[in-house]
Amino acid sequence: MGPSLELERAREILDADYRPPVKRGDLMALPPEVDTVGIIDGVLLTDAAVGHREILSLLDRGVKVYGASSMGALRAAELSDLGMIGIGRIFAEYASGRINGDDEVVLAYDPFSQRALSEPLINLRLNLEAAAECGIISTDSVESLIASLKHTYYPKRTYDYLYQISKIEMKNEELEALVKFLKNEGMDYKQNDAILLLRAVKDGCDFF
């Protein structure tokens, strides 16, 4: 567990052994009696990412391995055919192949407090696309903004930065409508998926 969901809120949903964002070697160090693992956040650029073989080793032992939200969604999309259980919207986007960049779930965060310091592109993308589906902004604007965000170093991806580039890309009326939409209807997709994973583990479901 990391910046996707506050630990206190996670404990309200599921009483479990929560650990920092997973990195390579962590899964192999789990006690042999563990029968269920949920992967949400994980390191990707700052340390070695959790390996596919580590997850496959757990699956071979009969451990149920869930993935959602961030690193969990990435690995579940890659290993769902081999038994890993993917949960949530972000997993579905990667599993379908519509989104394929690992960088979309990356964000900067404080390693001590786990507080997010930037916004993952996947959240910005899905909210912009939702705004277009509601007729708030044009699809041309969405494509242009996502392209700009895609070429922006991930620690700089924030809603404030999105606002700054939107002022360049969009007319005032469209910009005001977008700001209102994000304020009233914007969603934290990574957080939502993290909650879904915890509920799935709690209920023993293979999907949510």
Side-chain angles (χ1 to χ4, degrees), residues 169-181:
E169 299 278 351
M170 302 163 67
K171 295 180 179 178
N172 285 341
E173 185 176 324
E174 188 178 33
L175 176 60
E176 290 174 5
L178 175 61
V179 170
K180 184 178 180 181
F181 176 85

Side-chain angles (χ1 to χ4, degrees), residues 54 60 85 94 114 129 162 166 194 198:
E54 296 177 74
D60 287 344
I85 302 166
Y94 278 103
Q114 306 293 325
E129 291 175 348
L162 174 61
S166 297
L198 298 180

Side-chain angles (χ1 to χ4, degrees), residues 38-67:
I39 299 175
I40 295 177
D41 293 301
V43 300
L44 189 59
L45 302 178
T46 58
D47 207 331
V50 62
H52 299 80
R53 289 187 178 183
E54 296 177 74
I55 297 171
L56 292 174
S57 177
L58 292 181
L59 294 171
D60 287 344
R61 284 170 37 196
V63 177
K64 294 184 76 170
V65 183
Y66 293 80

Side-chain angles (χ1 to χ4, degrees), residues 141-197:
S141 293
V142 171
E143 291 174 2
S144 178
L145 290 170
I146 290 176
S148 294
L149 291 164
K150 194 79 174 169
H151 287 90
T152 301
Y153 188 40
Y154 73 92
K156 295 183 178 179
R157 295 171 182 162
T158 64
Y159 277 102
D160 284 342
Y161 181 74
L162 174 61
Y163 178 73
Q164 295 303 319
I165 61 174
S166 297
K167 285 199 297 185
I168 300 171
E169 299 278 351
M170 302 163 67
K171 295 180 179 178
N172 285 341
E173 185 176 324
E174 188 178 33
L175 176 60
E176 290 174 5
L178 175 61
V179 170
K180 184 178 180 181
F181 176 85
L182 293 174
K183 180 179 180 181
N184 296 328
E185 301 184 50
M187 298 176 62
D188 185 338
Y189 289 89
K190 288 185 71 172
Q191 177 178 275
N192 290 351
D193 285 1
I195 291 171
L196 288 177
L197 182 146

